[in-house]
Amino acid sequence: MNKPYSESCDQNKQVILSIISPLFSSLSSVLEIGSGTGQHAVYFAEKMPHLTWHTSDCRSHIDGINSWVTESDLNNVKPPFELDVSKSPWPDSDVDAIFTANSIHIMHQQDVVNFIRGASGLLKQHGSLVIYGPFNYNGLYTSASNERFDQWLKQQDPQSCIKHFEEIDSLANNNGMRLVTDYEMPANNRILHFVKI
Ligand SMILES: C[S@@+](CC[C@H](N)C(=O)[O-])C[C@H]1O[C@@H](n2cnc3c(N)ncnc32)[C@H](O)[C@@H]1O
């Protein structure tokens, strides 16, 4: 199959790496949820060769991720397994951290609840959950472009939308995690770094 391609992945991979590289420097393994095309996985695995990068997504993305993983010929990025955060139980996975990019605004509200609960259930004490994407704060968009993006998301799927930071933070707290750092990123995105207590 032709490898799927996302231009935004190419545009944001370096700035994401600049944040996650120090966060993951002493870790051995990361599970990516919603790996999408698989581009991030291959790039991050190549740049952080000490890590084993596990890929996952809903069934419809598995073949595409596989084509990036196979072509990369890297031995530290693993073929994808099916993980829809709303289907339980999640497959067993022994990892030090969980990473997801641009998936929370696609997920429906109940998916996000299940995502945070499932991530916390998988992580060991001190394990990290790292989330990249846009968020609203104090009930407000952080930019006009995020507002337009949110309207576009809702046209694609009425249950997709930019989520509120406070809701994510509260869900994380209620599931035994605490926010370590909320990083401001280019193009009105954030990286939220939570740790399992
Ligand atoms: C906009 S894409 C982002 C893909 C990639 N992470 C990136 O940054 O380019 C959103 C991703 O979230 C995934 N996703 C949406 N709902 C999901 C769910 N319930 N469980 C797991 N992944 C989900 C989609 O399958 C898709 O891969």
Side-chain angles (χ1 to χ4, degrees):
M1 76 178 287
N2 286 336
K3 287 191 305 177
Y5 176 76
S6 156
E7 192 168 344
S8 69
C9 269
D10 261 349
Q11 288 167 349
N12 60 33
K13 63 187 183 183
Q14 284 165 310
V15 290
I16 297 176
L17 180 71
S18 72
I19 300 295
I20 65 174
S21 180
L23 296 182
F24 295 167
S25 64
S26 60
L27 305 186
S28 301
S29 55
V30 174
L31 167 63
E32 181 179 11
I33 293 180
S35 296
T37 61
Q39 282 164 264
H40 275 157
V42 166
Y43 179 76
F44 295 145
E46 187 185 2
K47 297 293 181 189
M48 297 181 280
H50 63 285
L51 280 181
T52 299
W53 194 275
H54 297 270
T55 57
S56 75
D57 209 320
C58 301
R59 173 166 290 283
S60 55
H61 287 76
I62 297 295
D63 289 347
I65 299 165
N66 233 330
S67 52
W68 277 87
V69 170
T70 305
E71 197 182 292
S72 77
D73 219 18
L74 294 166
N75 59 19
N76 66 324
V77 59
K78 297 299 172 194
F81 58 86
E82 191 178 338
L83 198 175
D84 179 329
V85 297
S86 287
K87 291 185 184 160
S88 54
W90 285 19
D92 265 348
S93 192
D94 182 10
V95 290
D96 301 320
I98 294 174
F99 170 82
T100 196
N102 286 320
S103 59
I104 298 294
H105 57 262
I106 302 293
M107 291 179 188
H108 300 171
Q109 188 59 37
Q110 189 56 42
D111 297 338
V112 177
V113 172
N114 293 333
F115 167 72
I116 298 285
R117 187 192 299 136
S120 178
L122 209 75
L123 289 171
K124 298 184 274 278
Q125 190 180 24
H126 306 312
S128 285
L129 171 64
V130 177
I131 305 174
Y132 170 86
F135 294 96
N136 293 335
Y137 290 77
N138 302 312
L140 300 171
Y141 298 108
T142 60
S143 66
S145 63
N146 275 6
E147 182 170 3
R148 285 193 298 277
F149 181 52
D150 192 51
Q151 282 156 5
W152 179 84
L153 284 169
K154 288 169 179 160
Q155 282 165 8
Q156 311 307 306
D157 178 344
Q159 294 198 65
S160 291
C161 63
I162 295 180
K163 307 298 187 294
H164 296 280
F165 161 78
E166 293 81 1
E167 280 178 34
I168 305 296
D169 190 41
S170 161
L171 278 171
N173 290 339
N174 292 339
N175 283 277
M177 295 186 282
R178 71 173 171 82
L179 183 73
V180 181
T181 311
D182 174 359
Y183 297 88
E184 185 173 2
M185 302 296 289
N188 307 300
N189 287 299
R190 316 291 300 191
I191 285 183
L192 309 180
H193 176 208
F194 295 96
V195 164
K196 175 91 176 273
I197 300 166

